[in-house]
Amino acid sequence: MSLDKKQFLQAYRTMRTIRDFEYRVSDEFGKGNIPGFLHLYAGQEAIATGMCMNLSDEDYIVSTHRGHGHCIAKGGDVGDMMKEIMAKQGGSCAGKGGSMHIAAVEKGMLGANAIVGGGPPLIVGAALSAKTLGTGSVGVSFTGDGGSNQGTTFEAMNLAVVLQVPAIFMFENNGYGEGTAAGYAVGSKDIASRAAAFGMPALKVDGADIFETYKTCKKAVDHCRSGKGPIAIEASITRFRGHFEGDAQQYRGKGEVKRLMKDLDCLKIASDIAIKKKLATKAELKAIDKEVAAYIDEAATAALAAPSPDVSELLTDVYSSAY
Amino acid sequence: MPIKTYRQAINEAMAQEMRQDSTVIVIGEDVAGGAGCDGERDAYGGVMGVTKGLFPEFGESRVIDTPITESAIMGAAAGAAQTGLRPIAELMFMDFLGVCFDQIYNQAAKFRYMFGGKAQCPMVVRTMAGAGLRGGAQHSQNLTQMVTMVPGLKVVCPTNAYDAKGLLITAIRDNDCVIFVEDKFLYETSCEVPDEMYTIPFGEANFLREGTDVTIVGISNTVNKALAVADRLAAEGISCDVIDPRTTSPLDEESIIESVEVTGRLVIVDEMTPRCGVAADISSIVAEKAFGSLRAPIMKVTAAHSPIPFAPALEDAWMPQESDIEAAVRAVLGYTR
Ligand SMILES: Cc1ncc(C[n+]2csc(CCOP(=O)(O)OP(=O)(O)O)c2C)c(N)n1
Ligand SMILES: [Mg+2]
């Protein structure tokens, strides 16, 4: 089943929101308004969006160091996220987490993770809760090609198969783990066939095409919901930015980024297909673009004006009770 | 004498050892960078550029880019060390110790002893620690205490470029597993560093400043903060002995005790969390072995007992600052029974 008009417009809006969010935080980072490290999801929007459209707030996801897009797609509050990334009061994590730990726990977004390979075991646990408590929820771990090589990821896939829990291992293959090519670091033919070798079905999808990611993710979610155990997806994609903001990217070929940004822009691909299929008009998409731009600007302006966390917060929430 | 940065000094130590000993290899994530890519090789030379230039000189058989796989990196280094190579394995951030600790503390640290002295593990784990870069809870920790408590591991915390070169050469030539903790705040700092190779023995503290009123011991970059405080207090006539142990395992207990025998007062500064830490360890040693010399309670200046917060205001409050060190020095000086 493909996206209908309403769904498409929602998908487009989410992707546009992620893209604008990322470019705005990139700008603010450049102006010195964001401390720490920043890894942007620009270019990969169709993956988080296609997956999370198939999920509800009762489903769980875990993310990576590149987590803003996953958080937005899962319904995280953009204003709170902006504040968190700028280390302000009212941030999603009270200013204690930052970009690499962005989360929206109330929406089932259990957290970005600065430990590569930290997420997959956690999602097995979330899926175990769903199975044990009979909630019908599913868990999705988003992992990079680099993270696909961690021992924790292998162990998590095996355990998910052994326990037959409703876990989806979404591998976003953007070609690189930092400055090392996936083609070098992933020893098997691809990530999907390695996942399949653990004993679960594994699908492959073009990560730049929202129609495709939506369809494939729906298959995976349906598989999990019907009690058939875990499943994996490998989505091929590129990242528009460096590994982190400020990365000189000398490892990338001449003209590579420019070419990929032209060929693999999920927003452009989505609008072209939608207009051809008459799912949307240029004017409708333009209107969304305008609304999103205003929305992001409002979030950034509010975050810039917000105060820093109070120092008295340092020792709160280390434990659940008085210590 | 030429002036070199901490980064250059570490790089030079590796390059010089690699030139004269073909069994020395470097292995880790993006230690060169660009593996399998269309662009340049040696694109990173480590995320902080510390191994830059080693790949072009020594090639891919001795400067090995790996997948993201810390357990296998540390285990492979330990296994290679047991069988004829002298690996320098890079653990990008010390926080990632959690991913690979078994291969270090149950394997590398124990070979020699478990196998009755018949095995050895001449490897170096180069890693980067330290807060203040707003890296958050999983990219800022200094976990020196976790490795210092492991029998079989040696632990080095260089605090300036000169020491970094001499200590790293000693580490590479050592026949045990050495954890070499680089403070990420120091890469740009510089001092005079000889072009020749030289070694600095483990277990020999460095007296950075001699004084008679208070002994300050600092681990990693905190010793530089302690030095700044001591310089300022000197203007007021307060005279501090500032000691950099340089290695936490082995630890030069003797130098610390000798100093406390003169000053009678001890402040220990360390950027780790307070419980079961290096500061607590040194404190217990001095309390046990120099109790009679103490004229005031020992004071520890450490980080707070919490994960490391992201927000700058919180992180600054979390870590020991010069003002905390100064307050501790004044407190031990002002102590009366
Ligand atoms: C355990 C661990 N090892 C290494 C790192 C450093 N690091 C952060 S992101 C990254 C690359 C991850 O690549 P991939 O999984 O493909 O995700 P991408 O950055 O492409 O989104 C590395 C090596 C880390 N954060 N955690
Ligand atoms: Mg990747």
Side-chain angles (χ1 to χ4, degrees), chain B residues 51-116:
Chain B
T51 45
K52 189 118 185 145
L54 298 180
F55 181 88
E57 180 172 353
F58 300 104
E60 64 186 2
S61 62
R62 292 182 66 197
V63 181
I64 304 170
D65 274 330
T66 67
I68 304 167
T69 184
E70 286 83 5
S71 275
I73 295 167
M74 294 307 147
Q82 209 182 358
T83 52
L85 293 180
R86 303 186 84 85
I88 304 170
E90 184 175 301
L91 182 61
M92 193 184 295
F93 285 77
M94 196 170 197
D95 310 68
F96 308 162
L97 196 58
V99 181
C100 58
F101 204 27
D102 183 73
Q103 294 295 325
I104 294 173
Y105 100 106
N106 266 328
Q107 314 301 338
K110 295 180 172 51
F111 288 162
R112 174 181 295 274
Y113 190 85
M114 284 191 306
F115 305 143

Side-chain angles (χ1 to χ4, degrees), chain A residues 39 44 64-66 114-117 143-148 150 172 174 176-178 239 243, chain B residues 29-30 68 70 92-93 96 99 139:
Chain A
H39 308 83
Q44 304 184 202
T64 66
H65 54 288
R66 203 176 295 290
I115 299 297
V116 171
T143 308
D145 47 283
S148 83
Q150 275 287 34
E172 298 184 56
N174 63 8
Y176 298 95
E178 281 186 358
R239 58 167 153 75
H243 169 60
Chain B
E29 294 158 16
D30 287 300
I68 304 167
E70 286 83 5
M92 193 184 295
F93 285 77
F96 308 162
V99 181
H139 273 65

Side-chain angles (χ1 to χ4, degrees), chain B residues 177-195:
Chain B
C177 178
V178 179
I179 314 294
F180 192 84
V181 186
E182 297 165 19
D183 194 306
K184 53 175 98 86
F185 256 83
L186 297 176
Y187 286 123
E188 295 296 319
T189 62
S190 52
C191 66
E192 289 188 339
V193 177
D195 289 333

Side-chain angles (χ1 to χ4, degrees), chain B residues 178-233:
Chain B
V178 179
I179 314 294
F180 192 84
V181 186
E182 297 165 19
D183 194 306
K184 53 175 98 86
F185 256 83
L186 297 176
Y187 286 123
E188 295 296 319
T189 62
S190 52
C191 66
E192 289 188 339
V193 177
D195 289 333
E196 313 72 70
M197 300 176 80
Y198 57 91
T199 57
I200 296 175
F202 291 168
E204 263 185 36
N206 190 15
F207 282 79
L208 293 172
R209 182 181 232 293
E210 312 245 341
T212 51
D213 295 329
V214 179
T215 302
I216 315 179
V217 175
I219 311 295
S220 291
N221 192 31
T222 62
V223 82
N224 295 309
K225 293 185 182 177
L227 202 55
V229 170
D231 285 344
R232 274 205 305 275
L233 291 176

